[in-house]
Amino acid sequence: MGRIGIYPGSFDPLTEGHRDIVLRSLRFFDTVVVAILKNPDKRAMFSVRERAALIAETFADEPRIQVDHFGGLLVDYVRQRKADAVIRGLRAVQDFEYEFQMTMMNRRLAPDVDTVFMMTDEEYFYIASRTVKEVARLGGTIDGLVPDNIKAAMFVKLGREGELA
Ligand code: PNS
């Protein structure tokens, strides 16, 4: 299977920023697993099952990308998958504090599990799932912020399917 990188997150939904991180990571890992956290968040737009199906569709042409979900501690999941590292994206400085805390907590729990950080393309560094959802809910355009299949699924959820070409 070669080197496995686990890219964990909420992915509600996957954005172009996430996609960029996954594609960049393929240069360093043989397999990249997009691992969706199963947490019962009632405010989520998509169920974990829906998110997994959408992400699999986005990356349908790349067999080295897998989609999975996990519950409990990330480090347990990483060990169970016998993965080589956790992958996280870094956007602006504001991400650093949260990522630093999480990485150090994970290291304390599992000193053998390392996290590598990737920077998104400058075109995407301001994109967050939360703001994309807000713009979509309020009737704005989200072209270029999420993959096309995900935009379509969001518009269907929001009753905006009439706007799809
Ligand atoms: O996309 P997100 O919401 O920033 O991803 C956060 C995620 C899923 C990476 C993080 O919440 C996580 O790893 N949760 C699993 C629980 C866990 O292991 N917690 C200990 C680390 S602080």
Side-chain angles (χ1 to χ4, degrees):
M1 226 6 203
R3 298 193 73 78
I4 302 174
I6 301 279
Y7 183 37
S10 307
F11 306 113
D12 183 47
L14 181 105
T15 66
E16 285 291 358
H18 294 131
R19 171 151 77 171
D20 185 53
I21 297 288
V22 172
L23 297 178
R24 282 172 194 281
S25 301
L26 283 178
R27 291 162 51 205
F28 306 100
F29 295 94
D30 299 293
T31 302
V32 173
V33 182
V34 181
I36 307 166
L37 175 68
K38 275 191 290 183
N39 79 351
D41 182 354
K42 294 216 171 60
R43 293 160 307 163
M45 179 175 266
F46 295 102
S47 68
V48 170
R49 189 187 288 261
E50 287 172 326
R51 281 176 245 171
L54 287 169
I55 296 168
E57 189 181 24
T58 302
F59 295 120
D61 293 340
E62 181 44 88
R64 294 198 292 133
I65 301 170
Q66 296 178 7
V67 186
D68 196 6
H69 49 75
F70 73 101
L73 287 175
L74 174 62
V75 290
D76 290 340
Y77 173 72
V78 171
R79 282 174 164 166
Q80 176 213 318
R81 295 280 320 224
K82 298 188 173 26
D84 296 281
V86 172
I87 303 163
R88 291 286 289 173
L90 270 183
R91 290 167 303 190
V93 182
Q94 90 239 4
D95 282 344
F96 182 79
E97 191 72 31
Y98 171 59
E99 296 297 334
F100 178 74
Q101 277 181 7
M102 218 160 45
T103 301
M104 287 307 158
M105 186 60 83
N106 285 337
R107 181 169 290 174
R108 189 186 166 92
L109 292 168
D112 54 310
V113 172
D114 260 303
T115 303
V116 297
F117 291 96
M118 304 285 294
M119 292 249 206
T120 49
D121 192 283
E122 60 185 7
E123 211 182 319
Y124 306 128
F125 80 91
Y126 64 93
I127 304 177
S129 300
R130 186 178 53 80
T131 48
V132 173
K133 279 186 286 193
E134 184 168 316
V135 169
R137 280 198 181 105
L138 298 174
T141 174
I142 55 167
D143 289 358
L145 302 181
V146 292
D148 290 345
N149 68 313
I150 289 176
K151 174 190 162 183
M154 290 176 79
F155 274 30
V156 169
K157 280 272 178 199
L158 297 169
R160 293 179 64 182
E161 56 269 54
E163 296 172 49
L164 294 167

